[in-house]
């Protein structure tokens, strides 16, 4: 049986595209929808280029989540993937996808996580703290930012001459390699 995935993304969408490409010819997984809370999100264009239905919902819609949940149900979405999604997921949607919604964070949670910790701010904080390693955390989504049950973590070195850009590139490489595979593994267990 095929599982339909929806990807939620607010920005560039490179993870969204990478995941969509990974599952393109997959026998049992179909990326059926890309949703965003930002009209400017490059993720929308990436979805269009790949022929994946996509939609922008303004802030009001993300508050109660009703219309978005209806759309997810209309597309028979069985699993939700957050990839650089910066708004809070409405409780209605969280409750509709228990253990069926994951997020990725570009550090080794619980380090450098929480509200306001996203993008370059995370890497800046890692460098400021003098950490010797960083990495990625894939976790189930919960009501509190970056605090759901951890599914997987992958590590990389922080080098003495690292800049935010260099570290971000190294962390992104981990995201591209592992996020689709972890999603695939979780789906195989459903
Ligand atoms: C990634 O680093 C991800 O870990 C974080 O936001 C970033 C999104 O990058 N949650 P992109 O939009 O997929 O390029």
């Amino acid at each position: 049986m095929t599982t339909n995935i929806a990807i939620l993304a607010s920005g560039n969408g490179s993870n969204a595209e990478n995941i969509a490409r990974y599952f393109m010819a997959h026998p049992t997984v179909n990326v059926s929808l890309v949703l965003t809370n930002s009209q400017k999100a490059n993720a929308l264009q990436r979805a269009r280029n790949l022929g994946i239905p996509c939609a922008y919902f303004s802030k009001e819609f993300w508050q109660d989540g009703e219309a978005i949940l209806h759309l997810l149900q209309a597309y028979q979405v069985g699993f939700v993937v957050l990839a650089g999604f910066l708004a809070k997921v409405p409780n209605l949607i969280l409750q509709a996808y228990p253990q069926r919604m994951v997020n990725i964070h570009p550090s080794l949670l619980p380090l450098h996580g929480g509200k306001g910790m996203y993008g370059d701010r995370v890497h800046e904080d890692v460098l400021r703290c003098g950490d010797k390693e960083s990495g990625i955390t894939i976790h189930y989504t919960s009501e509190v930012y970056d605090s759901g049950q951890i599914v997987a973590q992958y590590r990389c070195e922080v080098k003495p001459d690292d800049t935010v850009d260099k570290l971000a590139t190294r962390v992104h490489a981990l995201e591209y390699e592992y996020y689709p595979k972890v999603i695939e593994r979780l789906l195989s267990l459903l």
Side-chain angles (χ1 to χ4, degrees):
M1 216 185 78
T2 298
T3 304
N4 292 319
I5 296 183
I7 302 177
L8 275 49
S10 300
N12 183 22
S14 67
N15 276 284
E17 177 167 352
N18 180 56
I19 293 163
R21 287 190 183 280
Y22 183 89
F23 288 115
M24 210 147 253
H26 199 280
T28 58
V29 181
N30 175 42
V31 175
S32 56
L33 206 51
V34 171
L35 301 180
T36 186
N37 65 327
S38 166
Q39 257 171 323
K40 290 183 290 182
N42 198 29
L44 285 173
Q45 194 51 50
R46 289 180 188 266
R48 286 188 203 109
N49 291 345
L50 294 169
I52 299 170
C54 57
Y56 155 71
F57 285 93
S58 63
K59 205 173 172 185
E60 303 73 58
F61 287 95
W62 291 102
Q63 265 149 17
D64 66 36
E66 225 169 295
I68 298 167
L69 182 58
H70 280 138
L71 186 64
L72 293 171
Q73 288 167 341
Y75 276 80
Q76 299 184 308
V77 167
F79 197 87
V80 178
V81 172
L82 274 55
F85 185 67
L86 300 180
K88 202 169 175 314
V89 178
N91 283 342
L92 193 70
I93 298 179
L94 280 172
Q95 285 154 13
Y97 291 93
Q99 303 287 92
R100 283 167 180 260
M101 188 182 311
V102 288
N103 181 40
I104 190 163
H105 186 80
S107 75
L108 298 171
L109 290 175
L111 299 174
H112 315 291
K115 193 165 166 38
M117 271 294 178
Y118 59 87
D120 284 352
R121 293 189 195 183
V122 177
H123 308 304
E124 274 160 20
D125 207 42
V126 169
L127 295 178
R128 190 180 53 77
C129 291
D131 294 5
K132 296 280 177 284
E133 61 173 10
S134 190
I136 60 169
T137 303
I138 296 162
H139 63 91
Y140 285 113
T141 310
S142 71
E143 285 86 357
V144 183
Y145 279 105
D146 300 331
S147 68
Q149 183 197 335
I150 291 176
V151 176
Q153 291 188 307
Y154 298 93
R155 289 157 198 278
C156 64
E157 192 188 348
V158 178
K159 299 186 178 172
D161 66 340
D162 262 351
T163 58
V164 166
D165 280 355
K166 283 187 191 173
L167 180 56
T169 302
R170 203 172 304 125
V171 169
H172 259 119
L174 287 179
E175 296 184 333
Y176 300 150
E177 177 167 7
Y178 291 110
Y179 203 14
K181 289 179 189 160
V182 170
I183 294 164
E184 187 176 35
R185 176 163 58 81
L186 292 175
L187 291 175
S188 75
L189 300 174
L190 287 180

